[in-house]
Amino acid sequence: MPKVKTNSAAKKRFALTGTGKIKRKHAYHSHILTKKTKKRKRNLDHTGLVASANEKQVKELLNLC
């Protein structure tokens, strides 16, 4: 059987925490930043966690299951 490859896009977007949860970045923080408030941009800076409903999908993309 051929080698199962990790999805390259997912590899760049997600990271694992020490406890096995999946970290993600917030959307809407890459362009058109002038109209967004400082508070909004600051809150988008922090990383979040992938919702439990989507964890299985992301783990399949990263070949973790």
Side-chain angles (χ1 to χ4, degrees):
M1 276 185 66
K3 180 180 173 185
V4 179
K5 292 187 177 181
T6 300
N7 183 288
S8 292
K11 178 169 59 176
K12 295 167 191 171
R13 285 169 173 77
F14 301 106
L16 280 177
T17 63
T19 56
K21 295 177 183 172
I22 305 169
K23 284 194 302 187
R24 64 171 178 83
K25 292 181 181 170
H26 284 278
Y28 308 110
H29 192 61
S30 57
H31 59 88
I32 314 176
L33 299 173
T34 51
K35 64 174 80 169
K36 295 171 187 159
T37 63
K38 288 179 183 178
K39 179 180 179 182
R40 183 172 165 192
K41 289 185 280 190
R42 186 171 61 244
N43 288 335
L44 289 172
D45 248 350
H46 307 296
T47 56
L49 294 174
V50 171
S52 57
N54 299 324
E55 266 186 29
K56 185 182 175 191
Q57 290 171 311
V58 176
K59 284 183 177 180
E60 283 175 1
L61 291 172
L62 296 172
N63 291 328
L64 297 174
C65 48

